[in-house]
Amino acid sequence: MSEVILKVNDLKTYFNTDDGIVKAVDGVSFELEKGEMLGIVGESGSGKSVTNLSLMKLIPSPPGKIMSGTAMLDGVDIFKMNDNEIRKLRGNRIGMIFQDPMTSLNPFLRISTQMIETIMLHQDKDKSAARARAVEMLEMVGIPNPSKRINDYPHQFSGGMRQRVMIAMALSCDPEILIADEPTSALDVTIQAQIIEVMQELCRKLNTAVIMITHDLGVVAGICDKVCVMYAGRIVEKGSNDEIFKDPKHPYTQGLIKSVPRLDRPSKGRLYSIEGQPPNVIDLPECCPFHPRCEKAMDKCRNTYPPLKVFGKGREVSCWLYEGEK
Amino acid sequence: MADNILLQVRNLKMHFPIEEGILLRKKVGAIRAIDGIDLDIEKGETLGLVGESGCGKSTTARCIAQLHKPTGGEVLFQGKDLCKATGSELLSARMGIQMIFQDPYASLNPRMTAGNIIAEPMVIYRERKMLDISKKEITSRVEDLMEKVGLSKHFKNRYPHEFSGGQRQRIGVARALSLNPKLILADEPVSALDVSIQSQILNLLDDLQKEFDLTFLFIAHDLAVIQHISTRVAVMYLGRIVEISTAEELYKKPLHPYTEALMSAVPIPDPDIERNRKRIILTGDVPSPDKERFGCYFYDRCPKRMEKCKSSIPQLKVMEGKHQVACFLH
Ligand SMILES: Nc1ncnc2c1ncn2[C@@H]1O[C@H](COP(=O)(O)OP(=O)(O)OP(=O)(O)O)[C@@H](O)[C@H]1O
Ligand SMILES: Nc1ncnc2c1ncn2[C@@H]1O[C@H](COP(=O)(O)OP(=O)(O)OP(=O)(O)O)[C@@H](O)[C@H]1O
Ligand SMILES: [Mg+2]
Ligand SMILES: [Mg+2]
């Protein structure tokens, strides 16, 4: 049996803005098992980053607030932890990589200083042991000549190399969970392929569970075990990688998969496209937020949010189309 | 120049000077952003231009439009070398070439209304007496253009921040169309957009191309997007074109080792295919274009490099059909 290490239940994170209350995340639940890769996909503004920042309690407050929900990590609720406990959690049990490595690396400090500091903060190691560990991690992520390059400043590294440093740092304390928020979106495809390979290999070796946030369906198809599709602050569909790509149930997921041009399938002529735009998550009425763009919308969809339909373990859809099905 | 060719680029170079010194600026070197490019764009086609960040795609487009004065080579548009054209000659040639940019947020003037943004090129050419059009005609043309790109004309008086990313890109497209151009240089026009909005804009460009008989140079780093929209694709590396062919051919039978690696690195949204794919993982990063090269520009990263590649530069060679490649393997 695989073991659940993180169980998020009914997470709601709202922001108080001048225009009204932004329901950035509005009732998100999912489970993460040991060593697996979970993909979270969805359009810009659908709440992917806010979901994961909430898990690390990194939501700026005000204006943001975690309104409800639990996030059980080995039986302990992250949201009930005090500041000290949270600080220990970050970087130690949960590592994080962001899209832009420059925002998380200090440009004025050598890579060595930053890595050694992180390792010593979380692990019981003296300076030289921490340094050895840092060099070892850099080597693992494929930085050439790591014992020398570790003394460089971040700007002396290319974008791809900086992202490798981030991976090395995030994994240096053997976290159980790695949250990667668009780790390759700013990189070129050939560099993306390098980074993904490194991440996949390392996480498998260290048995780290990964939450991979991305808008690139191709990346998800290549590496994830399970996928959550988000729309307007909620997860609208969940399933294994194969289920999501071969048998998407939610009209949004179906549309999303159909609208991506594919390199292996020459598609001349018109692309499938989902008309309209993603909704504003302020003052959303109690309806399916996708209904104005949905080809299969029914009256019900305009009035009530669809209930969760469970098709089996880890296979869930929120759509009125499946109401009567078993 | 053959009849069916709209634009011809010959040995185009753009070397940006690297300068040092505070009072007396001295040139100490050059960024060879593009370093000898040959391209033909046929009437009515979409030529895709792909390559990694910094390889010179935007610089190529900017040099064609003469937003940068190229440091060498020729850009022949309808028989005229734009690099030598000056003043009003250049202005009138430029009416036929318009650009669409990546960032719909940064490329529109935030203090102008959508209507004025779209009208601006017409207004400028009218003031210079190069376009015979009345103010009333401009207004009605703006409304027509807005409808054409899928924006309600009632949004004419709104400002850019009141539009979504996709809508802003539509404003950019309408503006580019306002002078009835022959050639549109689209620099990453969908890269900043979500998948669902991206397909809307790609369809729009496709429709407009048919309706107005447009020719496109389409820049993107997403190969799947490029393959979908392009008739032919040119692959760029470090300021040079390494291969040109149809998109399908490049995917099925890439000839240049760089194209091969690039194609294999693109993720495909299909778990079965992904499980069975072999990636060619290139080592290292794209080198900086700040030094002169005497061998193949891809030499440092090429998995198939030979002795010869170190000391001489392969030129584009025509293979079967319209396939061209610059590599000593062929
Ligand atoms: N500090 C904040 N104040 C107000 N609203 C916020 C704040 N941070 C996020 N939001 C809003 O929360 C919603 C979800 O944002 P989030 O960053 O999670 O989206 P995302 O799915 O990660 O999108 P992207 O793909 O663009 O990164 C958006 O509508 C966003 O505007
Ligand atoms: N005005 C300039 N002055 C000096 N160097 C420049 C200038 N514009 C571009 N460059 C350099 O020329 C090279 C090519 O840049 P360019 O913007 O054309 O690349 P690109 O292929 O469009 O990349 P991207 O995919 O990131 O947009 C880069 O090394 C860049 O730093
Ligand atoms: Mg985000
Ligand atoms: Mg560019």
Side-chain angles (χ1 to χ4, degrees), chain B residues 11-12 55 68 70 89 93 95 144 155 173 185 226 230 241-242 254 285-286 297 302 313:
Chain B
N11 198 20
L12 192 68
C55 72
H68 290 311
E89 210 184 9
M95 269 177 97
D144 281 352
F155 293 170
V173 173
L185 311 171
I226 280 280
S230 309
I241 305 279
V242 298
D285 297 301
V286 184
Y297 286 48
C302 184
I313 301 172

Side-chain angles (χ1 to χ4, degrees), chain A residues 188, chain B residues 14-18 30-34 49-62 68 102 187-188 219-221 236 238-239 287-290:
Chain A
D188 284 312
Chain B
M14 183 70 226
H15 293 181
F16 295 104
I18 309 174
I31 300 279
R32 296 158 179 267
I34 51 179
L49 189 60
V50 285
E52 290 173 274
S53 183
C55 72
K57 304 180 295 295
S58 299
T59 306
T60 305
R62 297 181 141 262
H68 290 311
Q102 166 169 2
D187 190 358
E188 311 254 11
I219 298 175
H221 56 260
M236 224 175 147
L238 208 58
S288 148
D290 60 0

